[in-house]
Amino acid sequence: MKTTKNLTKITVLFLILISASTFAQKKDNIKTAVIKTKIYCDHCKQCETCGDKFNKDLYNEDGIKRVDVDAKAMTITVIYDTRKTDIDKIRLFISKMGYDADEVKADPAGVAKLDGCCKK
């Protein structure tokens, strides 16, 4: 009987350790990046092209957890899962949307799709 209780305690302890390890690994895979961009529109969050576009389009990308656009600071903060995407892919995707993303310049085809108020 004592052996069964000890075995049960060891099993429970083992499962707790595995769970804690898995949680720590998941947390380590979540990164935050602040990407510098150029936003020319003075009503960015209201504009149909850019306001909701960042949220809708970027959230459709695998691994993107959260997106915050700061039009005044001209930054896009992205929280992402490194197991599913990386910062270079995110920058490229933002470029294809028509916006600069750090050193990656806006793709001309993406810029052409923006509303007139969002172009320089």
Side-chain angles (χ1 to χ4, degrees):
M1 187 73 135
K2 245 184 179 182
T3 306
T4 305
K5 285 185 179 180
N6 286 339
L7 186 58
T8 303
K9 287 179 183 178
I10 290 171
T11 303
V12 170
L13 181 61
F14 181 72
L15 291 173
I16 290 171
L17 290 173
I18 288 175
S19 296
S21 174
T22 302
F23 177 74
Q25 287 176 352
K26 285 183 181 179
K27 187 177 176 184
D28 289 343
N29 291 321
I30 303 299
K31 301 284 183 193
T32 301
V34 179
I35 299 169
K36 199 75 176 141
T37 191
K38 291 182 182 169
I39 299 173
Y40 299 102
C41 182
D42 64 352
H43 57 280
C44 180
K45 292 195 178 192
Q46 300 166 5
C47 177
E48 192 174 297
T49 298
C50 52
D52 243 6
K53 186 172 181 66
F54 285 109
N55 288 328
K56 288 179 184 174
D57 289 356
L58 282 174
Y59 275 125
N60 285 332
E61 281 300 292
D62 202 24
I64 303 294
K65 301 293 182 189
R66 183 175 173 152
V67 177
D68 291 310
V69 177
D70 186 335
K72 288 184 181 182
M74 291 198 187
T75 59
I76 305 166
T77 302
V78 181
I79 299 173
Y80 63 100
D81 186 335
T82 60
R83 294 171 297 179
K84 297 180 180 180
T85 193
D86 61 54
I87 189 64
D88 291 330
K89 288 180 187 175
I90 295 168
R91 286 183 186 121
L92 183 62
F93 191 78
I94 292 170
S95 168
K96 288 182 180 182
M97 289 173 57
Y99 298 91
D100 293 344
D102 291 332
E103 67 280 349
V104 179
K105 295 297 178 195
D107 183 295
V111 173
K113 293 177 186 175
L114 295 176
D115 286 348
C117 63
C118 298
K119 298 175 187 178
K120 46 178 168 171

